[in-house]
Amino acid sequence: MKLLIPAAVLAALSACSGDYDFKPRKYRFQTLPQIAEPGPREPLPDATYIICAEFPEGYDYHTDPDYGSVEATLVMFEDGKRVLTLPAGPGSQFSIDPDMHRCRGGHLYTDGVDATGTFLHCDGELLFRYEGREALRGFMLLDGKVHTLGQSRDGGGFSYRIDGELVFSRKEGYILGDMSYPLPGGGALRLDEAAEGAAEVYFSYGIPHKTYEGTKWEYHIFQGGSDKLIDTSSAVLEVFDVVIYGGSLYYTARRSDFSTNPVLVDGDSSYSLGDTPYMYARPHICRIFFDGPDLYIKGWYETSDGGKLFVLWNRRGVSMTIPGTDAYDVWVSSGERYVLQKREGILSIVRSWGGDSPSVDALGALSLPFNNCAAFSGGDLSLALSDPDGKLVVYSGGESRSYDLYGYPMSIKIGL
């Protein structure tokens, strides 16, 4: 039996590219203020932290699309022990929507909106609030300060803030990236992983312009207090991802050529990532990541017959193709490839995919509700899974452990 969570996996479409993760999710719902009183605690630096949604026994959360009639609960586990619970039912300011909370530094940070603005809590205590109803697309703790990047819920426009104080904003524009994508941990807020010295926070966004030929996009990057226009060719229709690595800027894009194959742009160089089998299939996501100095891109194609092909690219083009719709994510560590997918209805981890002797670890009738329920750290893959009865199953180091829960996990974080 497969765990179904209809409301939590509706597509969260962006006004820019429309795709920000392999697995889509639902829109956020609005909440109202309520006071929580969590107790003080000291986080463990090497613990595994898991955030879950829990429901009353007997409540069929699989079929309720809004969870609007039940007193749900946010639960945070630390190495399998419940360390924090917050009310998330009607009238509460804490939501069980997976993109409205995250664990950082061993603490639970939740955001929400009411009629007048946006607010942020840490372990249930209010940190700050500001005017304007926003959905957080980026969140980062850096040098003891909280960096947030919020997209307006009323249309275009966004704000970048530190501890709630405005640093940069625009009344138009759409942020590239969001919190649902597990790589990197800051969502749309990023750091140069190969920077010499202290790295500066950066993010990218697009601005649409109406022309007689249709909508034309221009793309910007904000870093170190400076907003810069990204120089794209006239053939670029859509930019998927922008990354700074070692001081160099890279981006992936879809162009107006007949193949619609994605391209990787590195300075003045441009590399086509597609090949003949993918002609006329539209690419999505095309997110850039690094394994040491090696650059990879992962995304998927929507084919003309409505199917999907999940793809891992490198600078030279297609590196790996995973047919079917049940691929959850792909990781590369020290050159070795890991794929999490459903194989004949069984959740499986395939290690050394595409090699001579790949190993398969079958996990049975379990489900990965969201991509943030997987964390690849230190050469080890950890997963927060749901079984058909709603229990929490944690897979790590090749072993699985079960914990009492009636609900499902929404994210996992290894260490602080």
Side-chain angles (χ1 to χ4, degrees):
M1 177 179 178
K2 183 177 180 179
L3 176 63
L4 300 177
I5 312 173
V9 295
L10 295 176
L13 298 177
S14 162
C16 180
S17 70
D19 306 281
Y20 287 116
D21 203 354
F22 284 167
K23 294 293 181 181
R25 56 210 65 237
K26 62 179 283 187
Y27 288 107
R28 303 178 179 195
F29 60 77
Q30 300 170 11
T31 55
L32 298 173
Q34 177 172 316
I35 297 176
E37 296 181 356
R41 47 177 292 274
E42 188 67 29
L44 301 177
D46 299 320
T48 296
Y49 294 91
I50 300 173
I51 302 174
C52 300
E54 187 169 44
F55 304 92
E57 288 289 340
Y59 172 69
D60 188 1
Y61 59 86
H62 301 88
T63 59
D64 186 349
D66 296 315
Y67 314 121
S69 60
V70 65
E71 296 291 342
T73 305
L74 271 179
V75 182
M76 188 168 76
F77 287 84
E78 181 184 69
D79 281 347
K81 179 182 178 181
R82 294 174 182 241
V83 293
L84 183 65
T85 60
L86 295 174
S92 169
Q93 59 189 345
F94 306 108
S95 170
I96 59 170
D97 282 4
D99 59 348
M100 297 183 74
H101 42 72
R102 70 286 307 167
C103 179
R104 298 292 185 272
H107 296 281
L108 176 59
Y109 290 86
T110 57
D111 64 277
V113 297
D114 56 21
T116 61
T118 304
F119 47 82
L120 186 76
H121 289 77
C122 177
D123 292 343
E125 297 184 359
L126 182 66
L127 287 182
F128 56 79
R129 64 179 298 132
Y130 56 87
E131 292 185 2
R133 294 162 47 82
E134 294 182 343
L136 292 194
R137 296 289 183 253
F139 180 95
M140 182 179 291
L141 294 183
L142 189 63
D143 298 328
K145 296 182 181 298
V146 178
H147 296 244
T148 59
L149 182 62
Q151 181 79 56
S152 172
R153 294 171 181 262
D154 300 325
F158 60 86
S159 71
Y160 168 49
R161 298 172 182 269
I162 300 179
D163 287 341
E165 297 297 323
L166 183 64
V167 175
F168 178 78
S169 68
R170 293 201 66 150
K171 294 182 179 180
E172 74 288 337
Y174 298 89
I175 297 164
L176 271 66
D178 66 13
M179 287 306 303
S180 67
Y181 193 71
L183 226 182
L189 288 174
R190 306 184 74 157
L191 295 172
D192 183 345
E193 299 174 31
E196 295 183 1
E200 296 177 314
V201 177
Y202 72 90
F203 63 90
S204 53
Y205 64 95
I207 299 176
H209 297 286
K210 300 294 184 181
T211 71
Y212 68 93
E213 296 178 338
T215 300
K216 178 67 176 177
W217 288 85
E218 69 175 45
Y219 294 92
H220 292 243
I221 187 164
F222 182 88
Q223 183 185 31
S226 176
D227 181 54
K228 298 179 181 179
L229 178 67
I230 299 174
D231 185 16
T232 60
S233 74
S234 59
V236 169
L237 296 178
E238 176 183 13
V239 170
F240 297 109
D241 196 15
V242 179
V243 170
I244 297 175
Y245 187 84
S248 298
L249 187 143
Y250 303 83
Y251 69 84
T252 50
R254 181 169 62 93
R255 299 189 303 195
S256 57
D257 56 20
F258 71 96
S259 71
T260 71
N261 285 321
V263 296
L264 168 69
V265 178
D266 172 8
D268 296 329
S269 302
S270 178
Y271 308 88
S272 176
L273 300 177
D275 56 15
T276 303
Y278 308 111
M279 304 287 266
Y280 307 106
R282 179 174 177 177
H284 296 257
I285 306 172
C286 302
R287 288 299 182 85
I288 301 168
F289 68 100
F290 286 84
D291 176 37
D294 297 324
L295 180 149
Y296 292 90
I297 303 102
K298 57 183 176 181
W300 55 276
Y301 282 102
E302 180 183 3
T303 59
S304 57
D305 61 0
K308 290 183 179 179
L309 291 169
F310 292 89
V311 183
L312 178 72
W313 296 276
N314 57 25
R315 295 176 189 268
R316 296 175 295 278
V318 174
S319 175
M320 185 172 70
T321 301
I322 311 165
T325 59
D326 286 330
Y328 289 92
D329 212 333
V330 179
W331 299 267
V332 181
S333 178
S334 301
E336 194 162 29
R337 300 165 182 178
Y338 300 75
V339 176
L340 179 67
Q341 67 170 165
K342 286 279 188 177
R343 297 166 66 92
E344 299 179 350
I346 297 176
L347 189 67
S348 301
I349 300 169
V350 185
R351 180 171 178 167
S352 302
W353 178 285
D356 295 333
S357 56
S359 62
V360 180
D361 192 351
L363 299 175
L366 300 172
S367 294
L368 185 86
F370 306 97
N371 279 61
N372 285 333
C373 290
F376 197 82
S377 176
D380 187 26
L381 179 63
S382 297
L383 306 170
L385 306 167
S386 285
D387 76 357
D389 296 325
K391 288 186 177 181
L392 170 64
V393 178
V394 180
Y395 170 90
S396 184
E399 299 181 351
S400 298
R401 294 184 179 182
S402 180
Y403 299 94
D404 287 336
L405 183 80
Y406 183 66
Y408 50 83
M410 293 179 287
S411 66
I412 184 172
K413 180 76 165 56
I414 311 298
L416 301 181

